[in-house]
Structure formats: structure tokens, C-alpha cells
Amino acid sequence: MLISLVFIILIACGGAALTYLVATDKPLMWRLSAGTVIGSAIFGLLAFLLASFAAFNTITLVVALGFTLLPLLLLRRPDIQRMARTDWARAKGKFEGASLQKIAPFLYYAFFFIVFWQFFGRTMFEAESTIYTGGSQNLGDLPYHLGAIFSFTDGNNFPPVNPSWAGAKFTYPFIADFISACFVKVGADVANAMFVPNVAWAFSLLVILERFARDLTNNKLVGRIVPFLLFFSGGLGFLWFLKDVSESGKGLWDVLWHLPQDYTINKDFRWGNSMVVLFMTQRSLLLGMPIVLLVLGYLWKVFGTGDLDEAKIEDDRRQSEKQRERGGRLPDYIPALLPAFLVGLLAGSLVFVHLHSLIVLFVVTVFLFVFRPASWQQFVTFGVGTAIVALPELVWLMTGTATETKTFFGWQFGWDKGTENFTWFWLRNTGLAIPLLAAGIWLYWDGRDRDPNLPLQDRTFWSRHLLLFYLPFAFLFILGNAMTLAPWVWDNIKILIYWWVASMIFVAIALAWAWRMGKGFRIAAGIAFAVLIAAGSLDVWRSASGQIKYGVFQPDGIQLAEQIKQKTDPKALFLNAPTYNSPVVLTGRQSLMRYNGHLGSHGIDYGPREAEVKTIYQGGPAADALLQQYNIDYVMMTPEERDQMKANEGFFGKFPVAAEVGQYKVYKVK
């Protein structure tokens, strides 16, 4: 773990230094959190380029890390030094003197850190010589990410080809997995190489999201509430939990420690908790979302700087004076449009980090530009920065891919509702969220979220800006419910989750307004908050408390994988049954075809090849011809091949056995 910790800390320091070129008057924790994801994107892309054109080894990774740390040279400038010292002094001051006001924020962040530590610790763990996962939705995704990681570390997969589909480029956004591969390459074990970045990115997302919501509303309480609504998202599943408690005949505490199912994702619910169905299983989003929020924070600054009410203008003037006194303005030698360009470069990295997040940014930016054409210089500069990074990546991805773009788009009403009523589907899956969203929008439009008893600088300001800023996210909700944006319609959630994040700001506005309106409203706000996070909390608890233990790779398969790594060429091509957990995954070698569930969700027409795989395993002259046609080096023979493929093992007896452990064999056919 130490190696991964050292790398992520150094990466964070390099990225944090860059924030002084873009953002003023941000706390140190925000800078370190932003630096973690910015540095991760920079390090990941630089290391990938060096590995592709030179070699993937410790030297190239140290060089990439050195370039990632170059922004620290900015601290040699007196003005930036002054800002850094001010940030440090302010952070240090928050820990001096004991008071509830100072302890409460610490407890807030400590709570989330402990949750993240426990939860992501269940992503992958080993016991009894078996690899397990403690995520209910991670049984198929863990092998996919391990396959990507090992393809870099043990398969020397540069330039990357799809380890699950021979003959095609690796078009899945792989930077998150590649960063973990970098940590493994310098000596970390693979479990910690995933665990440490996961916790770091999740905590960064927490801090960035909290600040983002606070900046949009100028309300601390809103900022505190929104992360709860994201990380513990859920619907009315807690009612199903109460039913399970009633029918179990056991006490509440006993059931909590032996939860029989998830309560946000099952046959009755499709809007799964974000931690369970997204952040553990789809690591790319865990890195992509905080990057998007950083970019959106800048776009909000550009979008929201005109036609504000007098209160906001006066508030901004006072804040500017404070920044000037602390040296918190951007230095005069930094061109006015440089921040827009740098933020654009960061946005461009999303092609390899999380492509769906870049699509979201594109939609939002188009809307904001239409609403604020007067800021065209910033928007154009931002677009140029994005294009410089994104276009070469997109060109590379679009050539040599097996993905069929036409499978991504089609008309389908109601997302994943099936035959259910649209309104009831969303109310059941999101609970009070949509009614409170409507209430929050009305309160904001009517101006009732303002508290005249608060000081001017602490008021939320009313204008049309936040409502206009929300419109592209509302459009994303409509789009996600009108058509399929992926071969598997459920994957629309990768777009819809951004609607959820933006919507939770208005939900939090409604809760914060009720909280300060008196005892009765405060009780109602507390109940509503509990209802919003109850089902999600149950699902997060189920994983974090260690109640789930799914075996992914068995001891014989793990031992066989070690033999394969020792006895076969890293570029060897394997034939195996299209299962999610073939031992080939752990070797870094390429498969002719792996799990059809993943292939189909990526837009690959796997049907004809799957039929050919079955033909090979059945043996005979057609099998020999196909082995030669695909230039296959080794054939896997395990219980999966025998059961699923009805393998004719007698046919393969003519080939030498390259590796064998128990019922697991590998035949050398070339």
C-alpha cells in the first residue's frame, strides 16, 4: 500500500500546484482534492504516451511522475508562494482551538473517509487463496478491470488492443485502470493499486462536489447535504427492507448484519445506489466525475458573471477585496484566457478517462454558450483547449475499433422502466427526490431560499442564472428517457447520473430552507433527508460491513494463471469460454473472445465469433481451420469450457499440455 500512497500523494501535489493558475480563494483541501484528479489525468496520459513510444517500465513512470510534479516550480514565484502560505495558514487555523464549529467539519470528512475506506476495501480481497469481491454488482466488472490492468503490466499492451476481443483496439476509457497498472509496475499489489486511487478519487469527489454546490448557491448547508444525496442515493427500497424485517422474524439489528438483498438495484429497482452500481464497478466514472465538476465550476464562473442582482455584485466586490488583500487574485502575468485553455485541456483528457462525461460537458457547454454568447472568448478558448487533447484521442479511438456506433442510439421511452408506468417508476426509484427537486426550483425562483437575517456574504442570491445553468441537465434527463445512448439501455445511467448531481442541489436548497424555518419544518427536513438516503445507506452498509463475499477466481485458476505468465509469450493469443472470470484475465494475455455481456454492452457484435468458438471446442476439421485462421496459440480447458462449450477434450489430446493445475489445463495448439 505504501507505494500506491506515495505515488498518489506526489501526483496530488503536482496537480494542486496547477490550481493556482486557475482558481483563487479556494481552501487547501479543495486544492489537494482537485490536484489529485488533475494530477491523475496528467500522470496517466503522460505515462501512457511514454509507454507507447518508449517502454513501460520504472524509468518511464518516474519520468512521467517528474513531469507531473513540474507545476511545483510555480511555488518559486513570490505571489503564488504568498497564496500557498495563506492557504496553509487558513487550513492550520481550522485545527487550532476546540469548538463544535471546528470539530463538526472534521467529523463530516472523517465519516466519509471511513465509509470510502471500508467500502472500496471490498472491491477486491484475497482469502483462502481465492480472489473475492464484496460488491454485489462487481462480480463481472472486477475481472474486466483486472484484465485491463494485467494487459498493461504482463501483456505489454502498447499500443493497447482489446484484451477481450482479438484484432480490435482497446476503446474502453482505460486511464483509471492504467494508473493502477503503473502502481503495480513499480511494486504495488493489484488490490492496493485499485484501492488507494479509488479512496483518493472518491474523497476528492466529495470535497469538489461540496464546494461546487456551495459556490452555485452560496450556502454552506447545501454544500454539506449534496454529497450525502449522491453517495447514498436511493429510492423507496427501504420500505422493502422494512417488509423483510417484518417477515424475517428477527430483530432489526440482526437483519442489518445479514441483509438479504440490495434495496436500490434488484428486480423492483433500477436506479442503483451510485457507490454500488457506479463508483465501485465503473472506476472510470470515479475519476471522470470530479474532473467534470472542476470544469463545470469554471464554466459556472464564466456563465454567472453577468446580469446579477445588486446583492451579488456587492458580495463579489467584497470577496474581491478580500482576495486582493490576501494576494488571492490571479497574478497579472497570467493571460486572462489561460484558465479557460487549461480547463479545456483537462476536459479533453476525458476521452481516455470517461467518454460519457465528455459528452455531458459538450451538451452543457453548448447550452451555456447559447445562453451567454457575450462570453464567447472564454468558451472558444475552452473549446480549443479541449480539442487539442480530445481530437487526437478520438481519431485514434475511431480507427480499428470493433464497436458498432449504430448500436448506441435508438428510441426507447422511459429508460429502463420496461412496461411500468413512467411516473411510478421514477418515484419508486428516486423516492422524494423529484418532489423536493420541484420544491427547490420553486423556492429558488420565488426567492424564498434567501434568509434576510443572514449577513450579505452568506445569503444565497436569486437570479435566473442557476435555473438556466440547470437546463442542460434537465435536457439530459429527457434525452436519457427518450432514447438509448448505449447498446445496453441501463448504461444511460452514465449520463443520467449528472442530471442527478445537478438536481440534488435544488433538493438540498429545499431541505436547507426547511431546516431554518423553525422546529416543525426542521423535523420534516430531517425525515425527508433520512428517506432520501435510507435505501442507499443500506446498500452501502451491506458492502462496507463485509456481508458480501463472492468468489471470482478460484485457487486452481490463480495458480494456472501464474504458470501461464511464466511459460507463454506476453503477446500469445488464447481461446477460452466467453466467461467473465477465465484465468486468462489474470495473465495479461489476449483472448479471442471473453465475456459476451461486456462485449455486447460495448457495441461489439459477438454472435458470429461466439459460434466459431463453440465450433473449435467441438473439434474436427472445422476446428483446425479456425485455429489457423485466428492464429490461436493456446486453448484453455477448464470446467467452464467443458460445461458451457461442451468441449471435445479428446480432440485436443493431440496437442501438448503447456500448463496444468487440477481440472485446469492449457493446450499449446501452435
Side-chain angles (χ1 to χ4, degrees), residues 584-627:
V584 181
V585 167
L586 303 176
T587 69
R589 276 53 174 172
Q590 191 179 30
S591 293
L592 180 66
M593 174 184 176
R594 288 186 192 163
Y595 183 43
N596 49 26
H598 290 148
L599 298 172
S601 67
H602 296 163
I604 296 175
D605 180 13
Y606 60 83
R609 184 173 293 188
E610 183 177 33
E612 291 176 329
V613 169
K614 292 179 179 179
T615 298
I616 294 175
Y617 273 109
Q618 290 170 2
D624 284 322
L626 287 170
L627 287 172

Short mmCIF file of all heavy atoms in Angstrom, two decimals, residues 584-627:
data_model
loop_
_atom_site.label_atom_id
_atom_site.label_comp_id
_atom_site.label_asym_id
_atom_site.label_seq_id
_atom_site.Cartn_x
_atom_site.Cartn_y
_atom_site.Cartn_z
N VAL A 584 -7.41 -16.58 -17.89
CA VAL A 584 -6.62 -15.76 -18.82
C VAL A 584 -6.61 -14.30 -18.39
O VAL A 584 -5.64 -13.57 -18.60
CB VAL A 584 -7.18 -15.89 -20.26
CG1 VAL A 584 -6.35 -15.06 -21.23
CG2 VAL A 584 -7.20 -17.34 -20.71
N VAL A 585 -7.69 -13.86 -17.74
CA VAL A 585 -7.80 -12.48 -17.28
C VAL A 585 -6.60 -12.09 -16.42
O VAL A 585 -6.08 -10.97 -16.51
CB VAL A 585 -9.11 -12.30 -16.46
CG1 VAL A 585 -9.10 -10.99 -15.70
CG2 VAL A 585 -10.31 -12.38 -17.39
N LEU A 586 -6.12 -13.02 -15.59
CA LEU A 586 -5.05 -12.73 -14.63
C LEU A 586 -3.66 -12.79 -15.25
O LEU A 586 -2.67 -12.53 -14.56
CB LEU A 586 -5.12 -13.71 -13.46
CG LEU A 586 -6.45 -13.75 -12.69
CD1 LEU A 586 -6.40 -14.83 -11.62
CD2 LEU A 586 -6.75 -12.39 -12.07
N THR A 587 -3.58 -13.12 -16.53
CA THR A 587 -2.27 -13.31 -17.15
C THR A 587 -1.82 -12.12 -17.99
O THR A 587 -0.65 -12.01 -18.32
CB THR A 587 -2.29 -14.54 -18.07
OG1 THR A 587 -3.14 -14.28 -19.21
CG2 THR A 587 -2.82 -15.76 -17.32
N GLY A 588 -2.75 -11.26 -18.38
CA GLY A 588 -2.42 -10.16 -19.28
C GLY A 588 -2.40 -10.57 -20.74
O GLY A 588 -2.20 -9.74 -21.62
N ARG A 589 -2.63 -11.86 -21.02
CA ARG A 589 -2.66 -12.32 -22.41
C ARG A 589 -4.00 -11.97 -23.04
O ARG A 589 -5.00 -11.76 -22.35
CB ARG A 589 -2.45 -13.83 -22.48
CG ARG A 589 -0.99 -14.30 -22.46
CD ARG A 589 -0.21 -13.77 -21.32
NE ARG A 589 1.15 -14.35 -21.25
CZ ARG A 589 2.08 -13.90 -20.41
NH1 ARG A 589 1.81 -12.89 -19.58
NH2 ARG A 589 3.27 -14.48 -20.38
N GLN A 590 -4.00 -11.93 -24.36
CA GLN A 590 -5.22 -11.57 -25.08
C GLN A 590 -6.06 -12.81 -25.36
O GLN A 590 -5.54 -13.89 -25.60
CB GLN A 590 -4.86 -10.89 -26.40
CG GLN A 590 -6.06 -10.24 -27.09
CD GLN A 590 -5.67 -9.54 -28.38
OE1 GLN A 590 -4.73 -9.94 -29.04
NE2 GLN A 590 -6.40 -8.51 -28.73
N SER A 591 -7.38 -12.61 -25.32
CA SER A 591 -8.32 -13.68 -25.64
C SER A 591 -8.96 -13.42 -27.00
O SER A 591 -9.17 -12.26 -27.39
CB SER A 591 -9.43 -13.77 -24.59
OG SER A 591 -8.92 -14.18 -23.34
N LEU A 592 -9.27 -14.49 -27.69
CA LEU A 592 -10.04 -14.33 -28.92
C LEU A 592 -11.38 -13.69 -28.60
O LEU A 592 -11.86 -12.82 -29.32
CB LEU A 592 -10.24 -15.68 -29.60
CG LEU A 592 -11.04 -15.64 -30.91
CD1 LEU A 592 -10.25 -14.89 -31.98
CD2 LEU A 592 -11.39 -17.06 -31.38
N MET A 593 -11.95 -14.13 -27.47
CA MET A 593 -13.23 -13.59 -27.03
C MET A 593 -13.42 -13.89 -25.56
O MET A 593 -13.12 -14.99 -25.10
CB MET A 593 -14.36 -14.23 -27.84
CG MET A 593 -15.75 -13.85 -27.39
SD MET A 593 -17.02 -14.73 -28.31
CE MET A 593 -18.48 -14.17 -27.44
N ARG A 594 -13.91 -12.89 -24.81
CA ARG A 594 -14.24 -13.10 -23.41
C ARG A 594 -15.73 -12.89 -23.19
O ARG A 594 -16.53 -13.16 -24.09
CB ARG A 594 -13.39 -12.18 -22.51
CG ARG A 594 -11.93 -12.59 -22.44
CD ARG A 594 -11.13 -11.77 -21.45
NE ARG A 594 -9.70 -12.02 -21.65
CZ ARG A 594 -8.74 -11.25 -21.18
NH1 ARG A 594 -9.04 -10.17 -20.47
NH2 ARG A 594 -7.47 -11.55 -21.40
N TYR A 595 -16.09 -12.39 -22.06
CA TYR A 595 -17.48 -12.34 -21.61
C TYR A 595 -18.37 -11.58 -22.59
O TYR A 595 -18.14 -10.39 -22.86
CB TYR A 595 -17.54 -11.70 -20.23
CG TYR A 595 -18.90 -11.66 -19.61
CD1 TYR A 595 -19.77 -12.75 -19.66
CD2 TYR A 595 -19.33 -10.52 -18.94
CE1 TYR A 595 -21.01 -12.71 -19.07
CE2 TYR A 595 -20.57 -10.47 -18.34
CZ TYR A 595 -21.40 -11.56 -18.41
OH TYR A 595 -22.64 -11.51 -17.82
N ASN A 596 -19.39 -12.24 -23.14
CA ASN A 596 -20.24 -11.60 -24.14
C ASN A 596 -21.08 -10.47 -23.55
O ASN A 596 -21.51 -9.57 -24.27
CB ASN A 596 -21.14 -12.63 -24.84
CG ASN A 596 -21.86 -13.54 -23.85
OD1 ASN A 596 -22.10 -13.17 -22.70
ND2 ASN A 596 -22.21 -14.74 -24.30
N GLY A 597 -21.32 -10.49 -22.23
CA GLY A 597 -22.05 -9.39 -21.61
C GLY A 597 -21.30 -8.07 -21.74
O GLY A 597 -21.90 -7.03 -22.03
N HIS A 598 -19.99 -8.10 -21.52
CA HIS A 598 -19.18 -6.89 -21.69
C HIS A 598 -19.10 -6.49 -23.16
O HIS A 598 -19.21 -5.32 -23.50
CB HIS A 598 -17.77 -7.12 -21.15
CG HIS A 598 -17.71 -7.23 -19.66
ND1 HIS A 598 -16.79 -8.02 -19.01
CD2 HIS A 598 -18.47 -6.67 -18.68
CE1 HIS A 598 -16.97 -7.93 -17.70
NE2 HIS A 598 -18.00 -7.13 -17.48
N LEU A 599 -18.88 -7.47 -24.02
CA LEU A 599 -18.73 -7.18 -25.44
C LEU A 599 -20.00 -6.54 -26.01
O LEU A 599 -19.93 -5.54 -26.74
CB LEU A 599 -18.41 -8.46 -26.20
CG LEU A 599 -17.09 -9.15 -25.81
CD1 LEU A 599 -16.98 -10.51 -26.49
CD2 LEU A 599 -15.90 -8.27 -26.17
N GLY A 600 -21.15 -7.09 -25.65
CA GLY A 600 -22.41 -6.54 -26.14
C GLY A 600 -22.64 -5.13 -25.65
O GLY A 600 -23.12 -4.26 -26.39
N SER A 601 -22.31 -4.85 -24.38
CA SER A 601 -22.52 -3.51 -23.84
C SER A 601 -21.57 -2.49 -24.45
O SER A 601 -21.81 -1.28 -24.36
CB SER A 601 -22.33 -3.52 -22.32
OG SER A 601 -21.00 -3.79 -21.96
N HIS A 602 -20.50 -2.95 -25.09
CA HIS A 602 -19.56 -2.06 -25.76
C HIS A 602 -19.84 -1.95 -27.26
O HIS A 602 -19.04 -1.37 -28.00
CB HIS A 602 -18.13 -2.53 -25.55
CG HIS A 602 -17.71 -2.49 -24.10
ND1 HIS A 602 -16.62 -3.17 -23.61
CD2 HIS A 602 -18.25 -1.84 -23.04
CE1 HIS A 602 -16.50 -2.95 -22.31
NE2 HIS A 602 -17.49 -2.15 -21.95
N GLY A 603 -20.95 -2.51 -27.70
CA GLY A 603 -21.35 -2.36 -29.10
C GLY A 603 -20.64 -3.29 -30.06
O GLY A 603 -20.52 -2.99 -31.25
N ILE A 604 -20.17 -4.44 -29.57
CA ILE A 604 -19.47 -5.41 -30.42
C ILE A 604 -20.42 -6.55 -30.76
O ILE A 604 -21.04 -7.14 -29.88
CB ILE A 604 -18.21 -5.96 -29.70
CG1 ILE A 604 -17.21 -4.83 -29.45
CG2 ILE A 604 -17.57 -7.08 -30.51
CD1 ILE A 604 -16.00 -5.24 -28.64
N ASP A 605 -20.53 -6.84 -32.04
CA ASP A 605 -21.38 -7.95 -32.50
C ASP A 605 -20.60 -9.25 -32.32
O ASP A 605 -19.81 -9.66 -33.18
CB ASP A 605 -21.74 -7.73 -33.97
CG ASP A 605 -22.64 -8.85 -34.50
OD1 ASP A 605 -23.17 -9.63 -33.68
OD2 ASP A 605 -22.79 -8.94 -35.73
N TYR A 606 -20.82 -9.90 -31.20
CA TYR A 606 -20.01 -11.07 -30.84
C TYR A 606 -20.62 -12.38 -31.33
O TYR A 606 -19.97 -13.44 -31.25
CB TYR A 606 -19.85 -11.14 -29.32
CG TYR A 606 -21.15 -11.26 -28.57
CD1 TYR A 606 -21.77 -12.51 -28.40
CD2 TYR A 606 -21.79 -10.15 -28.05
CE1 TYR A 606 -22.97 -12.63 -27.73
CE2 TYR A 606 -22.99 -10.26 -27.37
CZ TYR A 606 -23.58 -11.50 -27.21
OH TYR A 606 -24.77 -11.62 -26.55
N GLY A 607 -21.84 -12.37 -31.84
CA GLY A 607 -22.54 -13.60 -32.18
C GLY A 607 -21.79 -14.54 -33.10
O GLY A 607 -21.58 -15.72 -32.75
N PRO A 608 -21.34 -14.08 -34.28
CA PRO A 608 -20.64 -15.00 -35.19
C PRO A 608 -19.37 -15.59 -34.58
O PRO A 608 -19.10 -16.78 -34.75
CB PRO A 608 -20.32 -14.10 -36.39
CG PRO A 608 -21.36 -13.02 -36.35
CD PRO A 608 -21.60 -12.76 -34.91
N ARG A 609 -18.59 -14.78 -33.88
CA ARG A 609 -17.35 -15.31 -33.29
C ARG A 609 -17.66 -16.30 -32.18
O ARG A 609 -16.96 -17.30 -32.01
CB ARG A 609 -16.46 -14.18 -32.78
CG ARG A 609 -15.11 -14.69 -32.26
CD ARG A 609 -14.15 -13.57 -31.90
NE ARG A 609 -13.72 -12.81 -33.07
CZ ARG A 609 -12.76 -11.88 -33.03
NH1 ARG A 609 -12.14 -11.59 -31.88
NH2 ARG A 609 -12.41 -11.23 -34.13
N GLU A 610 -18.70 -16.04 -31.40
CA GLU A 610 -19.07 -16.97 -30.33
C GLU A 610 -19.42 -18.33 -30.93
O GLU A 610 -19.05 -19.37 -30.36
CB GLU A 610 -20.25 -16.42 -29.53
CG GLU A 610 -20.63 -17.29 -28.35
CD GLU A 610 -21.76 -16.70 -27.52
OE1 GLU A 610 -22.64 -16.03 -28.12
OE2 GLU A 610 -21.76 -16.91 -26.30
N ALA A 611 -20.11 -18.32 -32.06
CA ALA A 611 -20.45 -19.59 -32.71
C ALA A 611 -19.18 -20.32 -33.17
O ALA A 611 -19.09 -21.55 -33.07
CB ALA A 611 -21.36 -19.33 -33.91
N GLU A 612 -18.19 -19.55 -33.63
CA GLU A 612 -16.93 -20.16 -34.08
C GLU A 612 -16.15 -20.72 -32.89
O GLU A 612 -15.48 -21.76 -33.01
CB GLU A 612 -16.10 -19.14 -34.84
CG GLU A 612 -16.71 -18.76 -36.19
CD GLU A 612 -15.93 -17.67 -36.89
OE1 GLU A 612 -15.34 -16.82 -36.21
OE2 GLU A 612 -15.92 -17.67 -38.15
N VAL A 613 -16.21 -20.04 -31.75
CA VAL A 613 -15.54 -20.56 -30.55
C VAL A 613 -16.14 -21.91 -30.17
O VAL A 613 -15.41 -22.87 -29.84
CB VAL A 613 -15.67 -19.56 -29.38
CG1 VAL A 613 -15.21 -20.19 -28.06
CG2 VAL A 613 -14.86 -18.30 -29.66
N LYS A 614 -17.44 -22.03 -30.23
CA LYS A 614 -18.10 -23.31 -29.94
C LYS A 614 -17.68 -24.38 -30.94
O LYS A 614 -17.45 -25.54 -30.57
CB LYS A 614 -19.61 -23.14 -29.95
CG LYS A 614 -20.15 -22.29 -28.81
CD LYS A 614 -21.67 -22.15 -28.89
CE LYS A 614 -22.20 -21.31 -27.73
NZ LYS A 614 -23.68 -21.13 -27.80
N THR A 615 -17.56 -24.00 -32.20
CA THR A 615 -17.14 -24.95 -33.23
C THR A 615 -15.75 -25.48 -32.95
O THR A 615 -15.48 -26.69 -33.11
CB THR A 615 -17.18 -24.27 -34.62
OG1 THR A 615 -18.51 -23.87 -34.92
CG2 THR A 615 -16.68 -25.22 -35.70
N ILE A 616 -14.85 -24.61 -32.52
CA ILE A 616 -13.48 -25.05 -32.22
C ILE A 616 -13.49 -26.05 -31.08
O ILE A 616 -12.84 -27.11 -31.14
CB ILE A 616 -12.60 -23.84 -31.86
CG1 ILE A 616 -12.43 -22.92 -33.09
CG2 ILE A 616 -11.23 -24.31 -31.37
CD1 ILE A 616 -11.68 -21.64 -32.79
N TYR A 617 -14.24 -25.74 -30.03
CA TYR A 617 -14.25 -26.63 -28.87
C TYR A 617 -14.91 -27.98 -29.18
O TYR A 617 -14.63 -28.98 -28.50
CB TYR A 617 -14.94 -25.96 -27.68
CG TYR A 617 -13.98 -25.11 -26.86
CD1 TYR A 617 -14.06 -23.72 -26.89
CD2 TYR A 617 -13.00 -25.70 -26.08
CE1 TYR A 617 -13.18 -22.94 -26.14
CE2 TYR A 617 -12.11 -24.94 -25.34
CZ TYR A 617 -12.20 -23.56 -25.37
OH TYR A 617 -11.32 -22.80 -24.64
N GLN A 618 -15.74 -28.03 -30.19
CA GLN A 618 -16.37 -29.30 -30.57
C GLN A 618 -15.42 -30.20 -31.35
O GLN A 618 -15.68 -31.39 -31.50
CB GLN A 618 -17.63 -29.03 -31.40
CG GLN A 618 -18.77 -28.43 -30.57
CD GLN A 618 -19.92 -27.95 -31.44
OE1 GLN A 618 -19.91 -28.10 -32.67
NE2 GLN A 618 -20.92 -27.36 -30.79
N GLY A 619 -14.30 -29.62 -31.85
CA GLY A 619 -13.28 -30.39 -32.53
C GLY A 619 -13.62 -30.68 -33.98
O GLY A 619 -14.66 -30.26 -34.50
N GLY A 620 -12.70 -31.39 -34.65
CA GLY A 620 -12.93 -31.76 -36.04
C GLY A 620 -12.18 -30.86 -37.00
O GLY A 620 -11.47 -29.93 -36.60
N PRO A 621 -12.32 -31.12 -38.31
CA PRO A 621 -11.59 -30.34 -39.33
C PRO A 621 -11.90 -28.84 -39.27
O PRO A 621 -11.02 -28.01 -39.48
CB PRO A 621 -12.09 -30.96 -40.65
CG PRO A 621 -12.53 -32.34 -40.27
CD PRO A 621 -13.09 -32.23 -38.90
N ALA A 622 -13.16 -28.49 -39.00
CA ALA A 622 -13.51 -27.07 -38.93
C ALA A 622 -12.76 -26.40 -37.78
O ALA A 622 -12.36 -25.23 -37.88
CB ALA A 622 -15.02 -26.91 -38.73
N ALA A 623 -12.54 -27.12 -36.70
CA ALA A 623 -11.81 -26.56 -35.56
C ALA A 623 -10.37 -26.26 -35.94
O ALA A 623 -9.82 -25.20 -35.61
CB ALA A 623 -11.87 -27.53 -34.38
N ASP A 624 -9.73 -27.19 -36.63
CA ASP A 624 -8.34 -26.98 -37.06
C ASP A 624 -8.23 -25.75 -37.96
O ASP A 624 -7.30 -24.95 -37.84
CB ASP A 624 -7.81 -28.22 -37.79
CG ASP A 624 -7.47 -29.35 -36.84
OD1 ASP A 624 -6.93 -29.05 -35.75
OD2 ASP A 624 -7.73 -30.52 -37.18
N ALA A 625 -9.18 -25.62 -38.86
CA ALA A 625 -9.15 -24.48 -39.79
C ALA A 625 -9.31 -23.16 -39.05
O ALA A 625 -8.62 -22.18 -39.35
CB ALA A 625 -10.25 -24.64 -40.84
N LEU A 626 -10.20 -23.12 -38.08
CA LEU A 626 -10.43 -21.88 -37.33
C LEU A 626 -9.25 -21.55 -36.42
O LEU A 626 -8.91 -20.37 -36.23
CB LEU A 626 -11.71 -22.00 -36.51
CG LEU A 626 -13.02 -21.95 -37.30
CD1 LEU A 626 -14.21 -22.31 -36.42
CD2 LEU A 626 -13.22 -20.55 -37.90
N LEU A 627 -8.62 -22.56 -35.86
CA LEU A 627 -7.41 -22.32 -35.05
C LEU A 627 -6.34 -21.65 -35.89
O LEU A 627 -5.65 -20.72 -35.42
CB LEU A 627 -6.89 -23.63 -34.46
CG LEU A 627 -7.71 -24.24 -33.31
CD1 LEU A 627 -7.18 -25.64 -32.98
CD2 LEU A 627 -7.65 -23.35 -32.07
#
